[in-house]
Amino acid sequence: MVQLTSAAGVISLLDETEPELKIYALEQLDSLVAHFWAEIADSVSKIEILYEDEAFKQRELAALVASKVYYHLGEFDESLTFALGAGTHFDINSKSEYVETIIAKCIDKYIALRNDSLQSSQIDKRMEDVVARMLDRCYRDGEYRQAIGIGLEALRLDVIEKAVVQGNKRELLGYVLECSLTIVQELEFRNKVLHLLVDLYGSLEEPDYISASQCFLYLNDPVHSAELLLKLLKQDEYHVLLAYQIAFDLEANATQEFIQNVINALPANPSAASAVPPPPVPPAPATEGTSVPNSTDAMETDESTSLVQPESTITPAAAAPALSAHDECLSKIHRILSGDITVKLHLDFLFRNNHTDLLILKKTKDILETRSSVFHQSITVANAFMNAGTTSDEFLRQNLQWLAKAYNWTKFIATAGLGVIHKGQITLSRALLSPYLPKEGVHGSPYSEGGSLFALGLIHANHGDDDVVGFISNALTGTQNETIQHGACLGLGVAGMASGKEDTYTALKNVLFSDSAVAGEAAGLAMGLVQLGTGNAEALNDMLQYAHETQHEKIIRGLAIGISLIMYGQEEKADLLIESLSTDKDPILRYSCMYTVAMAYSGTGNNKAIKRLLHVAVSDVNDDVRRAAVTALGFVLFRSPNQVPRIVQLLSESYNPHVRQGATLALGIACAGTALPEALELLEPMTKDAVDFVRQGALMAMAMILVQHNEATSPAVETTRKKFESIIADKREETMALFGSVLGQGIIDAGGRNVTISLRGAAGIPNMRAVVGMAVFSQFWYWYPYTLFLSLAFTPTGMIGLNKDLETPKFDFISQAKPSLFAYPPQTKPLETKEIEKVATAVLSTTAKAAARARKAAKDGEAMETDKEPPSATEAAPPAGTELTAVTEEKKDDNAEKKKKKEPNFEVLENLSRVVPAQLKYIKFRDNSRYVPVKKAFTGGIVMLNDKRPSEPVELVASHSARASSTANAVTTGAAVSTPTATAGTAAGESAAMDTA
């Protein structure tokens, strides 16, 4: 058959008067348009006329041909218009490129119209019909995720519900939850999706209460969270365990204000209501020459008395009436939500698994000891990071003379670093810091006192009860020293984070209005911490107004970050403030605008926010604002770390060093703990940048990315550690790069190598404490004490299993990976100094003969006699090489045995073992295991365990609580003992060492 070379003959039929000929021409053109579209395009107007003629029977066919012509011409909007007019002739089941493209354009336009509130009611019915047919095709083909995607973007709850109901409910519900947090840009619609998810989770055959509780957390609905807990407590033991698990998850992810509202919505704690308070302990009589003890001293006396109190004097708490089973469970819920149990478990985990390599710190200290005070600060902070939460202050005890060199703000940081080391020691916090805390009638170093108040806040970070907050508030109002006020403000902000307490906010505002540059800066930041995520309009007005009035740049900077923290998680509610700040003449407030975007849209991946940040990064006239804009990209995109290297690649090559430094922090923030190769490839050349602060940022970012990785999981770990050492050893290296290297050493080995840095929680929920800690840490550019805020981003990576009594039973589980893959990095080995052994002098044969002749000549009358020569050293010794050969053979045997021992492909781990995030997918519980997690998806952390054999006796993991008690006694008596926590003797020694400066 001869192929056509032109469509001119068929096109000419369109001019005929007979409708049948025109229909025939359209049918032929429909099949020929893919090859002759250019020729047909000249006559497309004729086809359009046929479509517009309502009397023409096949006008829909004309529309289809016209649509295809415009598609080939690249006019997709015109093509879509005619495709909608083609009706059923437009076959959405066809797999052609034309159909797929037009359907995609149709859906995109439908979504755009649905998201436009003004045009959502004016959508073409034909377009809705095409979308409906496409959705039916998705349901029919089992492509439920595609239908859910269309429903989420088009704001169609009915589509989402139908897809979930028809498909695999449990799997699709998790997909909807994840997508609603990353794809849906509108907060109002997202909340509607979350409400729908709560209903769908409850409709499952086995309701997913844990996921429903996460939805309540996103919805900021503490009342329904409390109702869910009470509902579970009324059911069987398995559901009670689920209630405990939900309470632990809330404590880990919710704000103080949310948790307090949950507690308020629950019935009162039965154990607290039934307990009889012990009689007050009479104060010891004051002797001559001693001052009246203040509230701190009284607290320490009470603690020491209660800890050493004999059993015969313990009051009536034991005589309290026994609680019912329901009341006992409710009491445990209250204990979990208070955070006490979580803090104790994390302390126990970090102490028993501490793998801090103090030799790294010792080498760094020996090299940098006699140089700038900046290095003293960096080593102090690195030590605090390495021992964060481990309660180990061994390095400080071994280097008291070095510690004595701290002065002024270096002393402030050294004292505040104790708060990082003892983070979580809530019950002993004031006793531990008593040598430094302000005392009535006693005037110590204001830097030590201010640092101790900051340390107290760090110990109680996000767990500040009324007692501690009240103590710091009293210290704040009871002094006029701006250094002490600075530390008290920071301590109040950290301890009262997200509490929204008005009295705390008022106390900070009074300090701000005193117009002290040092105290005002901390007060502005702390006001934002206390009102974190509340969006308080009154607070914003106060702070913005004072920022415009004051002349102190430090105060404006503190307020700038505080304002951004108030808008944490507010998303589009913050747009009005963002627009206002973006046009401000003051560059510091435009800097605040960038961090407001970062906090309001943290983890959302919002396209509008990213577009704004990229625009400012290349257009603003102020370098600090541009740097902040690039850094903020890391906060917005931390849910999608793989995208960040691609987005900041060009920015990392910018001519402006401030932009390059911002790119390093953006990579470190978004890719923390991932060991992402693409991010490391971008950072590697920046560690050799010509500008010192760019190198500083790159070194710290690499440490954040490689935290909790070894050479098996990322080959860059070994080279990065050596890079730190080589930079520190280089005497010509600039101060800022050295500072970055020392901090990098502390970050990469943080928490005794048992914590990771992640802005995202185990369940995918944004980790508020980590986000805030990282945001304030990034202000170290202006103020080094802010570096300690990074400790808020440290998350212990332990598997902590609890039974129904909230105790840690002994059990094991399997990691289906080689032990070396997730092993701790090897400890640094000290240089061995070999003693030089004395070797027997070699005796030459000629020397021996000469000596023999001399002996013969010395003997009179015995010239003819011959004496036997004494055996030489070589003759007395065993044959040469005999011992060496034996040793060599032994080594060969050992090597042969090692080669025979093949590394197993799995590892058996026990309760309270380290399980790094990358290891979670390899964790498996034995089929016959006694204990099984109540969570379907294993996410590590604190896990409630269901006991399958409850009749058998329970064997518990030994706790270190007894050691903590003995430490408390040592603290109050001033004895120095080696325990998991710092002792008063140690603290007093450190205090005396720093006071000698």
Side-chain angles (χ1 to χ4, degrees):
M1 181 178 178
V2 179
Q3 292 185 351
L4 290 176
T5 58
S6 173
V10 178
I11 294 172
S12 65
L13 294 176
L14 295 174
D15 297 326
E16 298 291 333
T17 57
E18 295 294 330
E20 290 78 5
L21 292 176
K22 294 178 181 179
I23 293 172
Y24 175 78
L26 290 172
E27 291 173 349
Q28 295 299 314
L29 291 174
D30 182 37
S31 60
L32 298 173
V33 68
H35 303 286
F36 300 105
W37 59 266
E39 193 174 353
I40 300 171
D42 294 335
S43 303
V44 71
S45 58
K46 299 178 182 179
I47 301 174
E48 290 181 26
I49 292 172
L50 292 175
Y51 166 66
E52 293 170 358
D53 184 3
E54 294 185 1
F56 186 62
K57 294 181 180 180
Q58 292 291 338
R59 58 192 300 267
E60 291 183 351
L61 179 59
L64 179 64
V65 175
S67 173
K68 290 182 178 181
V69 172
Y70 280 115
Y71 164 75
H72 288 290
L73 289 171
E75 299 289 342
F76 296 123
D77 290 337
E78 292 289 334
S79 178
L80 173 60
T81 301
F82 284 105
L84 294 176
T88 55
H89 283 79
F90 181 70
D91 184 9
I92 64 169
N93 296 315
S94 173
K95 300 296 183 181
S96 67
E97 183 180 347
Y98 158 72
V99 171
E100 297 293 341
T101 303
I102 297 304
I103 287 176
K105 294 294 179 183
C106 179
I107 292 174
D108 287 344
K109 189 169 184 179
Y110 177 75
I111 290 170
L113 293 173
R114 287 280 302 177
N115 282 274
D116 189 341
S117 57
L118 298 177
Q119 300 185 26
S120 58
S121 60
Q122 302 174 1
I123 299 176
D124 193 332
K125 297 295 183 184
R126 298 174 301 174
M127 183 180 293
E128 290 183 341
D129 179 63
V130 171
V131 173
R133 285 191 287 154
M134 185 61 197
L135 290 171
D136 289 337
R137 171 182 161 185
C138 291
Y139 300 143
R140 187 172 59 253
D141 296 345
E143 299 290 346
Y144 299 111
R145 296 197 175 200
Q146 287 187 14
I148 289 171
I150 295 171
L152 286 171
E153 293 195 52
L155 313 182
R156 292 275 303 273
L157 288 175
D158 58 322
V159 172
I160 299 170
E161 184 175 6
K162 185 176 180 180
V164 171
V165 170
Q166 291 191 11
N168 184 332
K169 274 190 177 183
R170 191 172 294 277
E171 179 184 340
L172 291 175
L173 282 172
Y175 177 73
V176 174
L177 179 59
E178 177 67 23
C179 290
S180 66
L181 302 174
T182 54
I183 294 176
V184 179
Q185 307 287 334
E186 227 182 274
L187 185 60
E188 184 180 352
F189 179 72
R190 183 188 305 153
N191 290 341
K192 291 180 181 178
V193 174
L194 292 172
H195 281 296
L196 172 64
L197 287 175
V198 171
D199 296 336
L200 293 174
Y201 278 126
S203 67
L204 294 172
E205 293 182 7
E206 185 180 346
D208 191 344
Y209 295 112
I210 292 178
S211 297
S213 70
Q214 293 176 13
C215 294
F216 288 137
L217 180 57
Y218 285 120
L219 290 167
N220 194 23
D221 190 351
V223 175
H224 281 93
S225 296
E227 290 177 358
L228 177 61
L229 292 173
L230 290 174
K231 176 183 176 181
L232 293 172
L233 290 180
K234 293 176 182 176
Q235 300 184 43
D236 58 15
E237 183 177 301
Y238 176 78
H239 288 86
V240 171
L241 292 175
L242 279 176
Y244 294 161
Q245 184 67 66
I246 290 170
F248 275 117
D249 292 346
L250 287 176
E251 193 282 327
N253 298 301
T255 64
Q256 282 196 67
E257 185 180 21
F258 185 94
I259 293 173
Q260 189 58 49
N261 289 335
V262 173
I263 293 174
N264 294 338
L266 291 170
N269 189 348
S271 61
S274 62
V276 180
V281 180
T287 59
E288 186 177 353
T290 60
S291 60
V292 178
N294 59 12
S295 61
T296 310
D297 298 330
M299 179 276 302
E300 292 166 7
T301 305
D302 292 344
E303 281 193 350
S304 62
T305 305
S306 62
L307 285 167
V308 298
Q309 190 175 3
E311 291 184 5
S312 59
T313 63
I314 294 178
T315 61
L323 298 175
S324 65
H326 179 270
D327 287 348
E328 188 176 348
C329 295
L330 182 59
S331 176
K332 289 177 181 176
I333 291 289
H334 276 275
R335 287 177 55 205
I336 293 170
L337 291 175
S338 70
D340 293 345
I341 296 175
T342 301
V343 166
K344 289 176 182 177
L345 291 170
H346 284 163
L347 275 174
D348 194 9
F349 164 73
L350 291 173
F351 174 74
R352 70 171 65 240
N353 294 289
N354 186 9
H355 281 71
T356 303
D357 192 347
L358 293 180
L359 194 58
I360 295 175
L361 279 175
K362 183 178 181 300
K363 286 181 178 179
T364 302
K365 180 191 74 68
D366 292 342
I367 294 172
L368 303 178
E369 184 173 8
T370 59
R371 299 168 75 174
S372 169
S373 63
V374 174
F375 302 140
H376 195 293
Q377 296 177 15
S378 63
I379 295 170
T380 304
V381 174
N383 171 59
F385 287 167
M386 282 189 179
N387 294 287
T390 64
T391 71
S392 171
D393 58 358
E394 184 180 350
F395 177 77
L396 298 178
R397 284 188 271 120
Q398 292 175 355
N399 299 279
L400 290 177
Q401 292 183 353
W402 169 80
L403 196 62
K405 297 178 181 178
Y407 62 92
N408 294 348
W409 289 105
T410 306
K411 186 183 294 187
F412 179 95
I413 293 177
T415 312
L418 295 174
V420 178
I421 294 173
H422 299 289
K423 182 183 175 185
Q425 282 281 26
I426 292 176
T427 56
L428 303 175
S429 56
R430 277 191 266 177
L432 290 166
L433 297 171
S434 59
Y436 313 102
L437 289 170
K439 294 181 177 62
E440 188 176 350
V442 179
H443 300 288
S445 167
Y447 296 97
S448 291
E449 292 181 0
S452 66
L453 292 170
F454 184 20
L456 188 62
L458 288 170
I459 291 175
H460 290 264
N462 205 37
H463 292 92
D465 54 19
D466 293 338
D467 183 40
V468 170
V469 171
F471 175 81
I472 303 177
S473 296
N474 291 337
L476 176 63
T477 56
T479 182
Q480 295 300 318
N481 186 289
E482 62 179 8
T483 304
I484 299 176
Q485 287 181 333
H486 183 89
C489 288
L490 292 178
L492 263 183
V494 179
M497 185 190 304
S499 63
K501 293 181 179 179
E502 282 300 321
D503 53 346
T504 305
Y505 173 78
T506 303
L508 293 167
K509 186 167 66 171
N510 292 336
V511 175
L512 175 70
F513 289 164
S514 68
D515 208 41
S516 166
V518 175
E521 178 185 21
L525 173 62
M527 289 163 69
L529 288 170
V530 171
Q531 297 288 346
L532 176 64
T534 61
N536 190 317
E538 183 181 351
L540 288 170
N541 289 333
D542 291 343
M543 296 168 75
L544 272 173
Q545 183 178 354
Y546 196 77
H548 285 112
E549 291 175 358
T550 186
Q551 300 299 314
H552 293 291
E553 182 180 316
K554 288 176 72 67
I555 294 178
I556 301 174
R557 290 202 180 279
L559 289 169
I561 302 303
I563 289 169
S564 67
L565 295 177
I566 292 177
M567 300 310 293
Y568 173 81
Q570 296 295 306
E571 298 188 31
E572 60 260 24
K573 293 179 183 178
D575 286 348
L576 190 61
L577 176 64
I578 290 170
E579 288 292 340
S580 173
L581 292 173
S582 65
T583 57
D584 201 288
K585 294 179 181 179
D586 190 341
I588 300 178
L589 291 179
R590 296 203 304 277
Y591 179 94
S592 174
C593 175
M594 298 303 101
Y595 272 92
T596 303
V597 174
M599 295 295 100
Y601 291 98
S602 60
T604 63
N606 186 280
N607 291 330
K608 182 175 64 174
I610 295 171
K611 184 178 179 181
R612 179 188 293 275
L613 293 172
L614 289 173
H615 174 71
V616 174
V618 297
S619 64
D620 200 277
V621 295
N622 185 274
D623 287 336
D624 287 348
V625 178
R626 297 177 67 179
R627 175 169 50 82
V630 182
T631 303
L633 289 169
F635 289 100
V636 176
L637 290 167
F638 69 75
R639 279 181 178 274
S640 309
N642 294 324
Q643 295 182 16
V644 180
R646 177 175 54 84
I647 291 176
V648 304
Q649 182 176 7
L650 293 176
L651 296 172
S652 68
E653 300 169 0
S654 170
Y655 72 92
N656 189 322
H658 291 78
V659 174
R660 298 201 299 274
Q661 201 270 352
T664 64
L665 286 185
L667 290 166
I669 291 166
C671 306
T674 62
L676 195 66
E678 293 84 356
L680 295 172
E681 286 176 10
L682 284 181
L683 289 170
E684 175 59 31
M686 285 194 277
T687 60
K688 304 169 187 174
D689 198 278
V691 181
D692 54 353
F693 58 76
V694 178
R695 298 200 299 275
Q696 179 192 61
L699 292 166
M700 289 192 292
M702 291 187 80
M704 285 190 262
I705 293 171
L706 293 172
V707 65
Q708 280 213 323
H709 284 274
N710 57 21
E711 197 172 358
T713 55
S714 176
V717 171
E718 187 65 24
T719 57
T720 301
R721 289 181 181 274
K722 289 180 179 177
K723 188 183 296 292
F724 291 152
E725 293 176 4
S726 63
I727 290 174
I728 291 169
D730 187 354
K731 294 183 179 180
R732 295 169 296 179
E733 188 58 78
E734 295 177 77
T735 301
M736 297 185 78
L738 286 168
F739 183 88
S741 294
V742 177
L743 254 63
Q745 287 184 328
I747 293 169
I748 201 171
D749 288 336
R753 296 176 172 173
N754 292 299
V755 300
T756 188
I757 300 174
S758 177
L759 307 192
R760 188 177 179 182
I765 300 172
N767 187 338
M768 181 201 67
R769 278 169 286 187
V771 173
V772 172
M774 191 68 80
V776 182
F777 164 76
S778 64
Q779 309 309 308
F780 74 88
W781 179 278
Y782 305 104
W783 193 230
Y784 281 154
Y786 289 155
T787 53
L788 296 174
F789 274 88
L790 184 63
S791 62
L792 300 180
F794 294 163
T795 305
T797 54
M799 162 59 190
I800 305 175
L802 300 179
N803 60 14
K804 63 179 182 180
D805 298 321
L806 303 184
E807 296 174 329
T808 50
K810 281 190 176 181
F811 75 98
D812 55 39
F813 54 97
I814 299 173
S815 171
Q816 295 180 317
K818 293 182 178 181
S820 61
L821 187 60
F822 301 109
Y824 288 99
Q827 294 280 331
T828 305
K829 294 181 180 179
L831 295 174
E832 297 180 359
T833 54
K834 295 183 179 180
E835 294 183 2
I836 300 174
E837 297 179 359
K838 293 182 178 180
V839 182
T841 306
V843 181
L844 298 176
S845 58
T846 53
T847 306
K849 291 178 181 179
R853 285 195 295 270
R855 285 196 299 273
K856 290 178 184 179
K859 294 182 180 180
D860 296 334
E862 297 178 3
M864 299 299 295
E865 295 180 10
T866 57
D867 293 335
K868 293 183 179 179
E869 294 182 15
S872 65
T874 54
E875 292 173 350
T882 304
E883 187 175 354
L884 181 63
T885 304
V887 172
T888 306
E889 288 176 357
E890 288 179 8
K891 287 184 177 179
K892 286 181 179 179
D893 293 340
D894 291 342
N895 291 335
E897 288 180 8
K898 287 181 180 178
K899 288 180 180 178
K900 289 178 183 178
K901 288 183 180 179
K902 194 175 181 181
E903 185 180 13
N905 292 323
F906 67 94
E907 181 181 12
V908 178
L909 301 173
E910 297 179 347
N911 198 3
L912 289 168
S913 294
R914 183 183 84 151
V915 179
V916 301
Q919 193 177 3
L920 291 173
K921 60 185 178 182
Y922 298 100
I923 297 300
K924 183 182 179 183
F925 284 77
R926 302 176 189 271
D927 295 335
N928 61 345
S929 177
R930 175 178 176 178
Y931 296 100
V932 179
V934 296
K935 268 187 175 181
K936 300 297 181 185
F938 180 73
T939 56
I942 297 177
V943 179
M944 295 306 303
L945 302 171
N946 187 22
D947 189 353
K948 290 185 174 180
R949 299 192 288 273
S951 59
E952 297 181 8
V954 177
E955 188 178 1
L956 300 177
V957 178
S959 175
H960 296 283
S961 58
R963 298 189 186 184
S965 298
S966 65
T967 301
N969 294 336
V971 167
T972 54
T973 57
V977 292
S978 178
T979 60
T981 57
T983 63
T986 302
E990 294 164 5
S991 178
M994 287 193 284
D995 286 342
T996 59

